[in-house]
Amino acid sequence: GRPAPFVLRALRIALVVCLYWFTSITMVFLNKYLLDSPSLRLNAPLFVTFFQCALTAALCLGLSAGAACGPPGCPSLPALRLDPKVSRSVLPLSVVFIGMITSNNLCLKYVGVAFYNVGRSLTTVFNVLLSYVLLKQTTSLYALLACGVIIGGFWLGVDQEGAEGTLSWTGIFFGVLASMCVSLNAIYTKKVLPVVDGSIWRLTFYNNVNACVLFLPLMLLLGEFHTLYYFDKLGSPNFWGVMTLGGVFGFAIGYVTGLQIKFTSPLTHNVSGTAKACAQTVLAVVYFEETKSFLWWMSNLMVLGGSFAYTWVKGLEMRKEQEEPNLRNNEKNETGV
């Protein structure tokens, strides 16, 4: 019942953060290979996303069944079964979810890994905008200033990509769309969670099952079945190995994200994500042997700095909100009211 020693807790937190960084960065590089590798030449981004959703749904089902059949000491997971009524209730979120994962992958397809973080950096800005429009929540001046820094970094990054001749407006469009969908996904998730009894595990299962069904007509409409029919590596074990590995990492990122929040805090998780994005950018520049200008690096620093400042400001505001009721209670006790 006693708390673990400080060294043990620090080591555990360090391991969880390292696991999050490794999983997230590896997933991005794997997806970049699957979506835009010259050696693979697979022009079917929806199929890649569909496969990852199908594998995630299968892993949810398999792990849930395994936990139910395991010994009493095993961690318990909610039993999963497909309820059409619940599936229909989750459907609006699933549409946003499809937009989020598809636009994320399409942004990664058309821009480099080094620019990927800047290309989809407007999530925080859309959080503020959509929270005001949909939830009528206002934002403090300091948080708005941080958003201004992020927008400035985004536009400077776009300008520098154009100056280097590597700018893809298609990638920018999908990056902005991905940012908006990530914000909408967070808002709709809060609304839909009561339908699945507050279980993220069940929500993940239903979201991915719905996505698999919705992807099929989209793939047919965009001719991806025709592309797959003529794809020369469709029977290659190496191709399916990389596809499966990408799907496993896509599934694992949700778990390790929750793990990092559990052992640290939402504020620390956001700071860790910002630092991870910085490390990912540097790794991509080194790995792909790219040369970037001073202003290009400045755009990344502005996006990362603005994101960190916004997270810090919101963390201070949340702490103040939590402390105010305690102060009021103490004042009432002192005055005898």
Side-chain angles (χ1 to χ4, degrees):
R2 292 181 300 175
F6 172 77
V7 175
L8 183 60
R9 282 184 283 128
L11 181 62
R12 186 168 54 190
I13 289 171
L15 288 173
V16 168
V17 170
C18 288
L19 181 62
Y20 168 77
W21 280 38
F22 171 75
T23 304
S24 181
I25 293 174
T26 304
M27 182 186 68
V28 170
F29 276 87
L30 279 171
N31 280 346
K32 182 63 177 175
Y33 171 78
L34 290 167
L35 294 163
D36 193 40
S37 170
S39 60
L40 197 61
R41 299 189 306 277
L42 174 62
N43 188 25
L46 292 185
F47 169 70
V48 173
T49 314
F50 163 80
F51 180 83
Q52 292 176 349
C53 288
L55 187 60
T56 297
L59 286 170
C60 284
L61 201 59
L63 290 173
S64 180
C69 299
C74 286
S76 60
L77 294 172
L80 296 177
R81 62 181 183 86
L82 194 59
D83 185 338
K85 185 178 178 181
V86 175
S87 185
R88 284 194 299 271
S89 300
V90 175
L91 191 58
L93 172 63
S94 299
V95 173
V96 176
F97 175 72
I98 283 179
M100 180 182 71
I101 57 177
T102 303
S103 52
N104 263 320
N105 279 349
L106 286 171
C107 175
L108 186 58
K109 176 179 173 63
Y110 290 106
V111 305
V113 176
F115 187 69
Y116 178 59
N117 180 57
V118 174
R120 50 186 293 280
S121 61
L122 298 181
T123 300
T124 301
V125 178
F126 277 110
N127 279 341
V128 171
L129 183 62
L130 293 173
S131 294
Y132 178 75
V133 172
L134 299 178
L135 306 176
K136 306 303 178 186
Q137 293 178 353
T138 56
T139 305
S140 67
L141 176 62
Y142 290 117
L144 289 175
L145 288 174
C147 289
V149 174
I150 294 171
I151 294 172
F154 172 79
W155 281 116
L156 180 60
V158 170
D159 176 72
Q160 290 304 298
E161 282 286 301
E164 294 181 3
T166 54
L167 178 65
S168 167
W169 282 108
T170 304
I172 296 299
F173 168 77
F174 283 116
V176 174
L177 184 62
S179 300
M180 184 180 71
C181 288
V182 169
S183 299
L184 282 172
N185 186 73
I187 292 171
Y188 274 92
T189 296
K190 290 181 181 179
K191 290 184 176 182
V192 172
L193 265 175
V195 176
V196 290
D197 302 322
S199 171
I200 293 292
W201 186 259
R202 292 184 67 202
L203 185 62
T204 301
F205 173 70
Y206 276 103
N207 243 346
N208 283 277
V209 169
N210 284 350
C212 289
V213 174
L214 294 172
F215 268 127
L216 292 174
L218 289 174
M219 290 165 60
L220 183 64
L221 185 66
L222 296 176
E224 290 202 0
F225 287 111
H226 181 268
T227 302
L228 290 170
Y229 182 78
Y230 289 102
F231 181 52
D232 59 348
K233 295 181 177 64
L234 198 61
S236 168
N238 291 334
F239 166 69
W240 288 109
V242 177
M243 284 282 286
T244 303
L245 197 60
V248 169
F249 272 90
F251 170 79
I253 189 64
Y255 176 74
V256 296
T257 297
L259 206 61
Q260 181 169 247
I261 293 171
K262 177 183 176 181
F263 284 105
T264 58
S265 68
L267 176 63
T268 306
H269 166 67
N270 288 334
V271 172
S272 173
T274 304
K276 187 274 306 180
C278 181
Q280 180 177 292
T281 300
V282 173
L283 277 173
V285 170
V286 172
Y287 180 79
F288 293 106
E289 298 179 350
E290 298 172 344
T291 303
K292 300 297 183 182
S293 66
F294 170 78
L295 287 177
W296 187 93
W297 285 108
M298 184 58 65
S299 71
N300 277 266
L301 287 175
M302 288 176 68
V303 166
L304 294 171
S307 301
F308 176 79
Y310 179 85
T311 300
W312 190 258
V313 168
K314 295 301 286 185
L316 291 176
E317 290 175 356
M318 289 174 64
R319 185 181 300 174
K320 186 178 179 181
E321 288 175 3
Q322 291 171 355
E323 289 174 352
E324 282 180 353
N326 294 332
L327 288 173
R328 283 197 294 267
N329 290 335
N330 291 335
E331 289 174 358
K332 287 181 181 179
N333 293 334
E334 289 173 0
T335 56
V337 178

